[in-house]
């Protein structure tokens, strides 16, 4: 077996070494993109509870059990920092976003930003998004027509959800009614920034991802600075305005630059993540029509408009959402860098080492989940509660001080869209259809999930 040690253990230390294959970065990254679950499973058999992989010219330590993921997310010794790791991956495109801040500075910004996610604001966002989402879902294309080749034209649900979540972000976050072309321009800039972070070639070569990402960042900055004065001037219920006026309990507020940086980051954080969750839910409900029907039956018993108080009554959708987030986590990992010599589960981590908790390490671990590759939403029922086996068995929203600030917002948006989908459409895929994920970006189906949609 190939086996290369990450670093020599300091003399006198009883910490354990970390091993990897030592294969070149390109080989390791392509291996991960091709079959991440298979790679993790194989590594666990070869190297036990932790390994490292070469990636983007760096060595990344990856715990292969939930305890190690917990150690990174909880960061109890404050040994791991976000900025150097996330900064390396997405810094040029999302610099000074809250996820790229650390320790005292992060706490300062988070306390102000938290004011935009209080129950009162969430209730307002939920109420505001109802008519818009109802209308957007009502205008989804259906595939009842027959195409020239004799087959019904499929609807690419990934594209549809992407459009809806972007429009929602523009309306609820920005409070701006943008012409279609302008909305598309902003959408493209976001996508270019997101894709740039995961490029293998990390240099601004014209036409390639990195260069497109830098251009995208500029488009977004100009856009937000242009609209900033009107948001400062009047208080409106959208996130942009809320961030302009938010004040922490200690009386701190954001500068113009902070607002622009946070808006760019939050829009990105909210957009693709929700799109991927919706697409994954739609995929599994198409593959498992009995679950689609079960969710629809429940939706029919509940009011068409979702309120903050009825959100918890969507128990079936809730389980489907959790199971979808488990099987295909939109944010694949939590990268960090060690600021000092430290350890993970007794393994030596020298200062400067990059580490990452990878969600699928927990989410597909047969020690934590019964038959982990099976779509089985009932594993989240109170009786079975497989997600409670370990604090980090289910971790799609991360954990610790950087835990997703938008997780309730995400649930509101996702449940509203799905509730409307279930009431108005039935969608399906051929029996033998199995999606293939593109893991070189955030994990999306390569074919953008073609489904047959029938209006009810
Ligand atoms: C299903 C949808 C979502 C998923 C799976 C998700 C996942 C995550 C994860 C894993 C992190 C932590 C990353 C880390 O620690 O390195 C995170 C952070 C964050 N998320 Fe989300 N997210 C989702 C939706 C949203 C939405 C809708 C918003 C905004 C409305 C949002 C805003 C943020 C922000 C601002 C952070 C950084 C928090 C901090 O560093 O303090 N997310 N998200």
């Amino acid at each position: 077996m190939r086996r290369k040690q990450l670093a020599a253990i300091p003399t006198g230390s009883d910490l354990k070494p970390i091993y990897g294959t030592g294969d070149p970065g390109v080989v390791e990254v392509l291996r991960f993109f091709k079959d991440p679950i298979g790679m993790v499973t194989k590594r666990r058999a070869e190297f036990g509870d932790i390994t490292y992989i070469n990636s983007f010219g760096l060595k990344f330590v990856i715990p292969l059990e939930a305890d190690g993921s917990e150690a990174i997310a909880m960061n109890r010794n404050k040994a791991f920092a976000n900025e150097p790791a996330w900064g390396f991956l997405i810094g040029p495109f999302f610099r000074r976003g809250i996820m790229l801040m650390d320790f005292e500075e992060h706490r300062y910004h988070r306390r102000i930003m938290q004011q935009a996610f209080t129950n009162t604001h969430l209730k307002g966002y939920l109420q505001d998004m109802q008519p818009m989402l109802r209308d957007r879902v009502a205008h989804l294309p259906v595939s009842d027509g027959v195409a020239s080749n004799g087959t019904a034209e499929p609807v690419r649900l990934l594209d549809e959800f992407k459009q809806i979540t972007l429009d929602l972000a523009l309306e609820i976050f920005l409070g701006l009614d943008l012409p279609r072309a302008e909305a598309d321009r902003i959408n493209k800039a976001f996508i270019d920034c997101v894709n740039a972070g995961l490029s293998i070639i990390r240099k601004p070569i014209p036409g390639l991802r990195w260069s497109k990402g830098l251009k995208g960042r500029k488009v977004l900055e100009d856009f937000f600075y242009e609209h900033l004065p009107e948001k400062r001037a009047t208080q409106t219920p959208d996130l942009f305005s809320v961030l302009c006026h938010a004040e922490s309990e200690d009386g701190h507020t954001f500068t113009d630059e902070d607002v622009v940086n946070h808006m760019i980051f939050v829009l990105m954080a909210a957009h693709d993540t929700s799109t991927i969750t919706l697409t994954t839910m739609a995929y599994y409900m198409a593959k498992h029509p009995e679950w689609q029907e079960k969710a629809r039956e429940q939706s029919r018993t509940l009011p068409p408009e979702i309120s903050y108080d009825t959100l918890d009554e969507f128990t079936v959708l809730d389980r489907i959402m959790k199971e979808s987030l488990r099987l295909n986590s939109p944010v694949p990992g939590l990268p960090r860098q060690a600021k000092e010599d430290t350890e993970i589960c007794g393994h030596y981590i020298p200062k400067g080492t990059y580490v990452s908790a990878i969600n699928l390490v927990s989410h597909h671990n047969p020690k934590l989940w019964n038959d982990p590759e099976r779509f089985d939403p009932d594993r989240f029922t109170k009786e079975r509660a497989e997600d409670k086996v370990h604090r980090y068995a289910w971790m799609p929203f991360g954990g610790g001080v950087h835990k997703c600030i938008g997780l309730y917002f995400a649930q509101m948006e996702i449940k509203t869209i799905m509730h409307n989908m279930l009431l108005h459409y039935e969608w399906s895929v051929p029996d033998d259809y199995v999606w293939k994920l593109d893991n070189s970006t955030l994990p999306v189906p390569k074919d953008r999930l073609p489904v047959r949609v029938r209006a009810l």
Side-chain angles (χ1 to χ4, degrees):
M1 192 203 322
R2 295 150 298 139
R3 203 175 167 87
K4 209 162 171 197
Q5 192 167 326
L6 173 78
I9 306 291
T11 328
S13 161
D14 56 3
L15 292 174
K16 294 171 279 182
I18 295 172
Y19 295 103
T21 61
D23 287 342
V26 174
V27 175
E28 297 258 86
V29 169
L30 291 179
R31 199 179 274 150
F32 185 80
F33 286 170
K34 194 165 168 236
D35 179 15
I37 301 171
M39 182 172 170
V40 161
T41 309
K42 196 156 173 256
R43 288 298 167 100
R44 195 179 279 134
E46 276 182 310
F47 302 122
D49 65 344
I50 198 159
T51 186
Y52 76 90
I53 63 167
N54 289 317
S55 152
F56 304 119
L58 304 175
K59 290 185 171 70
F60 260 93
V61 167
I62 295 179
L64 297 169
E65 297 293 348
D67 284 348
S69 299
E70 176 169 358
I72 292 176
M74 292 308 291
N75 198 13
R76 290 190 178 91
N77 300 333
K78 296 195 167 50
F80 300 116
N82 271 35
E83 197 285 327
W86 273 118
F88 173 79
L89 293 170
I90 59 170
F93 320 105
F94 298 104
R95 59 179 165 270
R96 307 286 302 150
I98 190 164
M99 197 174 73
L100 284 76
M101 294 180 170
D102 283 295
F103 311 120
E104 219 14 77
E105 186 183 41
H106 171 260
R107 209 167 86 95
Y108 174 95
H109 281 255
R110 177 114 182 177
R111 290 177 82 168
I112 306 175
M113 190 177 280
Q114 203 70 57
Q115 302 309 314
F117 293 92
T118 56
N119 280 355
T120 315
H121 281 299
L122 288 174
K123 270 184 195 170
Y125 302 143
L126 179 62
Q127 202 176 336
D128 286 355
M129 71 173 77
Q130 296 300 309
M132 185 243 152
L133 289 179
R134 197 171 49 240
D135 181 65
R136 289 306 312 262
V137 174
H139 288 94
L140 269 183
V142 288
S143 42
D144 284 350
V146 175
S148 52
N149 63 2
T151 58
E153 202 62 62
V155 177
R156 309 262 162 192
L157 274 185
L158 174 69
D159 298 343
E160 300 301 329
F161 289 142
K162 214 168 193 158
Q163 203 58 62
I164 295 177
T165 53
L166 179 81
D167 289 349
L168 174 99
L170 295 183
E171 193 163 318
I172 304 296
F173 288 178
L174 272 63
L176 298 170
D177 194 8
L178 298 178
R180 187 70 266 156
E182 180 66 345
D184 288 347
R185 192 174 72 92
I186 300 305
N187 191 6
K188 185 178 175 309
F190 274 120
I191 293 165
D192 286 347
C193 286
V194 172
N195 288 347
L198 287 165
S199 26
I200 295 182
I201 301 166
R202 306 177 76 76
K203 286 195 183 97
I205 299 170
L208 297 190
R209 279 184 182 185
W210 195 267
S211 177
K212 285 187 190 168
L214 294 176
K215 277 195 196 136
R217 169 77 195 196
K218 177 82 177 70
V219 168
L220 297 177
E221 278 183 9
D222 292 348
F223 173 82
F224 283 109
Y225 276 116
E226 185 193 325
H227 291 281
L228 195 92
E230 69 193 80
K231 293 291 163 187
R232 282 267 188 229
T234 31
Q235 232 166 322
T236 44
D238 52 273
L239 182 80
F240 197 178
S241 178
V242 173
L243 287 186
C244 283
H245 300 96
E247 193 175 318
S248 68
E249 281 148 18
D250 347 5
H252 299 300
T253 54
F254 286 140
T255 64
D256 284 359
E257 208 184 334
D258 291 337
V259 173
V260 170
N261 290 331
H262 287 320
M263 281 307 293
I264 293 177
F265 179 79
V266 172
L267 254 84
M268 181 279 291
H271 177 208
D272 269 348
T273 47
S274 306
T275 301
I276 293 172
T277 311
L278 285 160
T279 309
T280 309
M281 290 170 75
Y283 170 65
Y284 282 106
M285 281 196 265
K287 289 286 288 176
H288 301 270
E290 70 285 6
W291 275 101
Q292 189 180 143
E293 202 38 50
K294 214 167 160 173
R296 184 172 294 110
E297 265 170 34
Q298 186 170 63
S299 272
R300 283 181 173 148
T301 65
L302 292 162
E305 191 136 317
I306 300 189
S307 73
Y308 205 65
D309 303 326
T310 53
L311 210 55
D312 287 346
E313 291 174 36
F314 290 85
T315 51
V316 179
L317 261 187
D318 196 64
R319 274 179 264 150
I320 294 172
M321 184 179 72
K322 285 181 173 152
E323 180 68 335
S324 301
L325 282 165
R326 181 185 74 82
L327 285 164
N328 185 37
S329 253
V331 182
L334 315 178
R336 312 283 189 252
Q337 191 192 34
K339 299 303 290 170
E340 57 199 52
D341 283 2
T342 186
E343 54 90 30
I344 295 177
C345 301
H347 292 272
Y348 175 55
I349 309 280
K351 178 179 174 179
T353 306
Y354 288 86
V355 302
S356 185
I358 302 281
N359 295 5
L360 68 87
V361 158
S362 283
H363 291 182
H364 294 263
N365 191 336
K367 287 181 209 145
L368 302 174
W369 304 92
N370 183 15
D371 197 0
E373 298 321 310
R374 201 157 75 87
F375 176 74
D376 178 8
D378 279 343
R379 58 175 91 242
F380 289 93
T381 54
K382 269 203 192 94
E383 296 71 41
R384 286 178 54 193
E386 290 184 25
D387 54 321
K388 302 285 188 281
V389 166
H390 189 288
R391 220 174 139 193
Y392 280 76
W394 189 75
M395 48 176 288
F397 295 105
V401 297
H402 286 281
K403 187 164 184 176
C404 181
I405 207 168
L407 85 166
Y408 293 110
F409 186 98
Q411 293 182 41
M412 292 176 349
E413 173 182 6
I414 289 163
K415 283 182 184 167
T416 303
I417 294 172
M418 273 302 163
H419 178 48
N420 280 288
M421 286 273 296
L422 288 161
L423 291 178
H424 299 293
Y425 307 99
E426 204 175 64
W427 63 97
S428 58
V429 289
D431 285 347
D432 58 353
Y433 173 79
V434 177
W435 75 356
K436 288 202 171 56
L437 290 175
D438 177 358
N439 294 301
S440 72
T441 59
L442 298 183
V444 290
K446 286 182 181 167
D447 56 8
R448 310 194 316 280
L449 188 58
V451 300
R452 190 174 153 74
V453 179
R454 191 172 72 82
L456 292 172

